[in-house]
Every structure is written in structure tokens, then in C-alpha cells.
Amino acid sequence: DFVNKKMTATSKNAKLILLLSEWEEPEIKMTKRAKATVQDLLQFRRAVSYMDDKYPFSHAFGPASTREMCVDSSQQVYGRLMESAEDGATAMPFTVFSVLATDESGELQNGRMRSLIRLFRPDRQGNLTKLDFVQSIDAVYKELRLLRASIANSAQIDLAFERVINFFYFFFVGIIAVLIWGINVFPFLLSSTTYFLGLSFLFGAAASNYFEGLLLIFLRRPYDIGDRIALSLPFLDTNPDGSSTWFVEKVSLFTTTVRFATTNEVATYSNGSIAPMRIINANRSPKAIIHILMKFWLETPFQRIKVFRTALENFVNARPREWVALVGFRATRVEADFGYVEYRIICQHREAWQNIGPILQSKADLSSFSLEVSKKL
């Protein structure tokens, strides 16, 4: 009886989890922030050198210094992995990757396996097509190149900031050296304060704007090279369908150069002018939420609405590489005079708003599917 009760409780828990929306545990890092050692710096330099190497993913993977080389090497690796699959298989079973998730003793590590699943996202049958495999590798290649560009740009910013610090350092060192030689420079400094006071009225606003820009770049760090950003006033609401975004191409102590994602127009903002704005970073906005509006006649039975929702859930669950889950489906407006009820479909996508192309394509497919199903009700 005890075993039967335990199995029944386990079955009920499994059904309850299926009714809940899919959710991944966040990574909580509680490690103390330690100072970087010489060994850490050497490891960082070695990692950066691997990014510049012709074989950033190892010699076994193949050359990947350009995107074309990376795609070719990915296809060759997929072909070699398919040799271990069964004869006649059209897609690679994900069990082939289980070797990468084992430790030295041959035991399967759950953490490694979850990381591989997040990276490649096999289908519900546990298979991975060549296109999906290449797309996963290509996503890693893009992140690697954007990280390398961000490191190079950060090095330029640090160099410019070092020059500013050196100016003030040598200025005060020069004053101390003159005082040591017995020369009294205070009368000269006091006489020159009148000029600085006049300049402060002239350049005070510009200096304040410049200081706000420095705080934005060195403390807030709201974006990196390659990020999609959207700028808006803090008291204005954002568009639920996504904001118009710009690609960050270059960041300096004074300005930020961006490119409009829709038309490729290039613009330059002063960092001080961006500081009071609300900055939406699409790269730091994971798993986009999609909203779709559908209208049904008032005479439509509620049972058919439930059938429509079930069809949507099946459509979303059949595409694990695109969708996380159907987050919501509810009536948002009833127009009795016009004879319809408006429903809102809310789905969570796998991609961040940074990669907006697949998100819009998935949204279009889901909208078309919803329209076709509504016609049959």
C-alpha cells in the first residue's frame, strides 16, 4: 500500500508540473568577489588569444576564424557524428552528445547534460537536424565575436581613461615638485581662479554632462558592443510588440555610435545625453514574450475556445527550439455591440530580443496557425 500511495503521489506531482508553465532555475552565485591574481590575468590573456586563433573551438572542430569557415566546420563535424548513428537515420540522436556529459569515471553529469540541452535544443523525439546543429554553433560563434569586440573596445576606453588620470596625476606631482623646490605657486593659483570661475559658467553644463557620461560608461555599463538598445523617456510606456532598436557599434568616453537596425542609418549620441534616458538592452532581455490578438464571435461556444487553446499548446510544444511555453490565453475585451470577444495569446520565445528575426518569424507562423484554426471553429 505504501508503494502504491507513493507511486500515486509521484504521478500526481508529474501531472501538476505539466500543468505549470516551463521554468528554468536561475543560477545563484554567492561566491565572494576576490582580487584578480597574476594567474587569472594570464588565463584571461590566453582565452583572448584563443578567440583570435584560427581554431577557437579546437583543432578537432576545424577552422572557425570566419563565419563561413565556422559553418563549413560545423557541417563536417555533424557528418562525422552521424557516422555513429543508426543506418538510415535522417537526424542525429541527442544520445551521441551524452559522451560530452560524462566525467572521468564515465558517470553522466546532469549539469553538463542540461547545458548541452540548452545549447542545442533537440526536438521532442531527442533528435537534432543538421540545420539546428549549425544554428546552435553559429549562435556561439556570434557571441564569441561580440565578446572579442567588446574586450577590444573596453581596452580603448580604459586607455583613454588612463590618459585622463595621468593628466591630473602629473599636474599634482608637478605642483608638489615646485613646492619642494621652494617656489610658492599659491599666489599664481589664486590669481587664476578668476579665470576658472568664468570658465565654469561657460562650460559648467558641458562638464556636468560629461561627468554623467563617465558614470554611465564606468559604473552603469548598460550596453556592450553589438547589443541592441532602445532609448526612451522614463515616464513613457514601451511598445508591447517590441521597441525600435539600434545596434551599438562603438563606445568611447564621450560618445556612443549606434546603427538603426531597420535602415542601417548610423548616429552618434553623447554619453551624457543618454544617461537620463531609459535604456532597454535587447541582449539582456532573454526569452521574449509575444502577444497576439484574436477575435471570436460572441456565439462561439466556450468548448470550441478550449479546443483552440489546446491546438495552440500542441503547436507550441511541438517546437521546443522556438517556444518555451504558452504563457497565457485569456479574454481581454468584450464588444457586445460589435459582436465579438477579443482574446490575447501570450507565448514565451526561446530567443532574446537581440535576435529579433527568428522571433518575428515564429510570431508570424503562430499568427497564421491561429488564423487557420479559428476558421475551422
Side-chain angles (χ1 to χ4, degrees), residues 207-334:
S208 176
N209 196 18
Y210 174 68
F211 184 71
E212 288 183 2
L214 290 180
L215 294 179
L216 174 77
I217 298 301
F218 287 106
L219 297 182
R220 291 174 56 187
R221 295 181 178 271
Y223 45 76
D224 295 313
I225 298 296
D227 289 353
R228 282 178 178 262
I229 62 171
L231 305 176
S232 61
L233 296 175
F235 53 83
L236 295 180
D237 293 333
T238 58
N239 190 350
D241 294 328
S243 305
S244 299
T245 55
W246 300 71
F247 283 109
V248 179
E249 293 197 334
K250 185 179 179 181
V251 181
S252 66
L253 290 180
F254 307 98
T255 61
T256 296
T257 303
V258 293
R259 175 169 51 86
F260 193 40
T262 305
T263 60
N264 272 346
E265 295 174 294
V266 178
T268 302
Y269 292 100
S270 64
N271 294 332
S273 64
I274 300 178
M277 304 287 285
R278 175 173 54 201
I279 304 174
I280 301 175
N281 192 322
N283 193 34
R284 302 177 188 177
S285 305
K287 296 183 180 179
I289 301 295
I290 303 301
H291 296 258
I292 299 175
L293 298 178
M294 292 293 298
K295 295 179 180 179
F296 295 93
W297 296 111
L298 285 175
E299 293 79 10
T300 304
F302 183 69
Q303 190 64 30
R304 293 188 179 182
I305 300 297
K306 294 174 65 176
V307 172
F308 178 82
R309 174 177 181 145
T310 302
L312 287 181
E313 290 178 344
N314 295 334
F315 181 85
V316 170
N317 294 333
R319 292 159 177 80
R321 286 186 60 87
E322 298 180 35
W323 301 105
V324 175
L326 177 66
V327 179
F329 177 77
R330 54 180 176 267
T332 57
R333 189 173 59 168
V334 178

Side-chain angles (χ1 to χ4, degrees), residues 13-37:
N13 290 336
K15 292 180 180 179
L16 180 61
I17 292 175
L18 289 175
L19 293 175
L20 298 175
S21 59
E22 184 174 341
W23 186 70
E24 295 182 358
E25 290 285 346
E27 296 182 3
I28 303 176
K29 299 181 180 180
M30 299 295 293
T31 56
K32 294 183 178 180
R33 187 174 181 180
K35 294 182 179 180
T37 62

Side-chain angles (χ1 to χ4, degrees), residues 42-171:
L42 293 177
Q43 289 179 351
F44 177 77
R45 293 189 63 180
R46 181 177 296 180
V48 174
S49 65
Y50 285 148
M51 296 181 190
D52 297 330
D53 192 70
K54 186 178 180 181
Y55 302 90
F57 300 134
S58 75
H59 287 267
F61 180 85
S65 58
T66 63
R67 192 182 184 190
E68 290 76 13
M69 290 183 179
C70 181
V71 171
D72 292 338
S73 299
S74 301
Q75 296 182 68
Q76 295 177 12
V77 171
Y78 185 86
R80 293 197 299 267
L81 292 175
M82 280 295 293
E83 294 177 358
S84 59
E86 298 179 357
D87 295 337
T90 58
M92 180 175 57
F94 197 72
T95 53
V96 176
F97 290 92
S98 60
V99 180
L100 300 176
T102 56
D103 55 10
E104 292 78 6
S105 60
E107 295 183 0
L108 188 66
Q109 299 294 318
N110 294 330
R112 296 181 183 178
M113 200 64 188
R114 283 195 295 266
S115 299
L116 289 173
I117 292 175
R118 288 194 186 102
L119 175 61
F120 292 102
R121 294 293 177 186
D123 57 17
R124 295 296 177 183
Q125 288 73 35
N127 297 324
L128 192 67
T129 63
K130 178 186 286 189
L131 177 60
D132 295 337
F133 179 81
V134 174
Q135 286 179 343
S136 301
I137 300 298
D138 183 60
V140 176
Y141 173 82
K142 291 178 181 178
E143 292 182 3
L144 183 69
R145 290 307 175 197
L146 289 176
L147 175 60
R148 185 65 186 93
S150 179
I151 292 174
N153 189 81
S154 298
Q156 296 179 1
I157 294 177
D158 293 340
L159 182 59
F161 187 68
E162 182 182 357
R163 293 172 181 171
V164 175
I165 296 298
N166 288 339
F167 171 79
F168 289 102
Y169 172 77
F170 287 114
F171 176 76

